[in-house]
């Protein structure tokens, strides 16, 4: 029922038999776009790759990440780079995606709507790009329940403060345009570290070794030659 307001809020166009060709098309690797004139929206991913790389553009145009477009995508390695062709992230684009760990790039994103990343409970690191020019460009619930967003990299002109708003859970807000990569690091055996300057924290574990399953996990002696602190709830997944 296209008269239903819930559905109409997500539809970009409605076609009857006389309306001509659809504006939907897919890339060879499974990204689904809606294109109409100079506007383009990524609306879904239907591919099978375990290495999710967003398209560099939409037929030469910039594009926006639409409602629920990435919410059911399985980011096997937990990583996503947002290319400079992406200009907006709609509400619930990544809603309840618990496979997303690190988001980099996004320098041309000018708007992140409310609930865009809501309930991405495993999200550890996010880069706020230079395209964000005001606090009103980030929805108040954009990162709702992202209680592990420890690494906030801020290239925007928005003043983000540790312990407030989207940086409420941040270990540190890094406002340095030269820092272009996440401060989150993964060891081969599944430990997750936050490393910035002289701060080094063990913040998580995603390994699946037999010792972990038996509750006999042995922590690393160091990370990169440095001592470290074990952060709150770092090993919660394995020891309950």
């Amino acid at each position: 029922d296209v008269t239903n307001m819930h559905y109409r809020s997500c539809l970009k166009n409605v076609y009857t038999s006389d309306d001509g060709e659809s504006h939907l098309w897919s890339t060879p690797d499974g990204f689904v776009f809606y294109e109409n004139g100079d506007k383009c929206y990524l609306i879904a991913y239907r591919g099978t790759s375990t290495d999710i790389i967003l398209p560099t553009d939409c037929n030469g145009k910039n594009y926006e990440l639409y409602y629920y477009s990435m919410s059911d995508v399985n980011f096997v390695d937990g990583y996503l780079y947002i290319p400079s062709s992406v200009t907006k992230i709609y509400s619930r684009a990544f809603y309840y995606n618990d496979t997303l760990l690190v988001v980099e790039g996004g320098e041309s994103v000018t708007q992140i709507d409310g609930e865009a990343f809501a309930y991405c409970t495993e999200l550890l690191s996010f880069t706020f790009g230079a395209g964000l020019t005001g606090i009103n460009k980030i929805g108040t619930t954009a990162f709702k329940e992202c209680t592990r967003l420890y690494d906030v990299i801020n290239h925007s002109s928005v003043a983000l403060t540790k312990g407030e708003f989207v940086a409420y859970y941040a270990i540190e807000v890094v406002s340095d345009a030269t820092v272009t990569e996440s401060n989150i690091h993964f060891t081969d055996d599944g430990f997750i570290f936050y490393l910035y300057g002289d701060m080094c924290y063990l913040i998580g574990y995603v390994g699946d070794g037999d010792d972990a399953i038996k509750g006999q996990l042995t922590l690393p002696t160091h990370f990169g030659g440095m001592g470290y602190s074990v952060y709150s709830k770092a090993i919660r997944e394995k020891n309950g």
Side-chain angles (χ1 to χ4, degrees), residues 212-240:
I213 295 172
K214 296 174 183 177
Q216 300 173 349
L217 189 64
T218 301
L219 299 182
T221 57
H222 62 272
F223 178 71
M226 296 178 62
Y228 62 88
S229 300
V230 179
Y231 208 63
S232 175
K233 300 181 180 180
I235 315 295
R236 79 197 194 291
E237 297 92 340
K238 297 300 178 182
N239 67 6

Side-chain angles (χ1 to χ4, degrees), residues 42-237:
L42 177 60
I43 63 170
Y45 174 70
R46 296 293 178 258
T48 58
S49 175
T50 58
D51 185 16
I52 309 300
I53 301 176
L54 293 181
T56 55
D57 56 53
C58 172
N59 281 337
K61 296 190 286 285
N62 292 337
Y63 63 94
E64 301 174 352
L65 299 181
Y66 206 55
Y67 299 98
Y68 297 101
S69 56
M70 298 280 106
S71 60
D72 61 353
V73 173
N74 183 14
F75 295 95
V76 174
D77 63 359
Y79 176 79
L80 177 68
Y81 181 83
I82 299 178
S84 59
S85 52
V86 175
T87 58
K88 181 177 179 179
I89 303 175
Y90 277 77
S91 177
R92 301 193 175 188
F94 292 84
Y95 198 56
Y96 272 101
N97 192 312
D98 62 2
T99 67
L100 187 61
L101 304 178
V102 174
V103 178
E104 293 178 351
E107 293 299 329
S108 298
V109 172
T110 60
Q111 178 82 34
I112 303 176
D113 284 348
E115 295 194 336
F117 292 88
Y119 301 101
C120 291
T121 54
E122 301 303 312
L123 183 61
L124 299 170
S125 177
F126 192 90
T127 298
F128 294 87
L132 295 165
T133 57
I135 195 70
N136 62 324
K137 301 299 183 180
I138 306 173
T140 56
T141 58
F143 294 86
K144 182 179 180 180
E145 295 301 320
C146 293
T147 58
R148 303 192 74 198
L149 185 51
Y150 300 144
D151 183 32
V152 172
I153 300 174
N154 186 23
H155 297 166
S156 77
S157 58
V158 181
L160 299 180
T161 304
K162 175 182 173 181
E164 299 179 5
F165 191 35
V166 296
Y168 186 83
Y169 296 97
I171 295 174
E172 191 62 69
V173 175
V174 180
S175 298
D176 185 346
T178 66
V179 178
T180 58
E181 295 183 354
S182 168
N183 296 304
I184 304 299
H185 304 270
F186 298 83
T187 66
D188 292 340
D189 48 358
F191 292 97
I192 310 174
F193 284 88
Y194 173 92
L195 177 61
Y196 179 68
D198 60 357
M199 292 185 293
C200 188
Y201 295 96
L202 173 63
I203 61 171
Y205 178 72
V206 291
D208 56 2
D210 291 340
D211 287 345
I213 295 172
K214 296 174 183 177
Q216 300 173 349
L217 189 64
T218 301
L219 299 182
T221 57
H222 62 272
F223 178 71
M226 296 178 62
Y228 62 88
S229 300
V230 179
Y231 208 63
S232 175
K233 300 181 180 180
I235 315 295
R236 79 197 194 291
E237 297 92 340

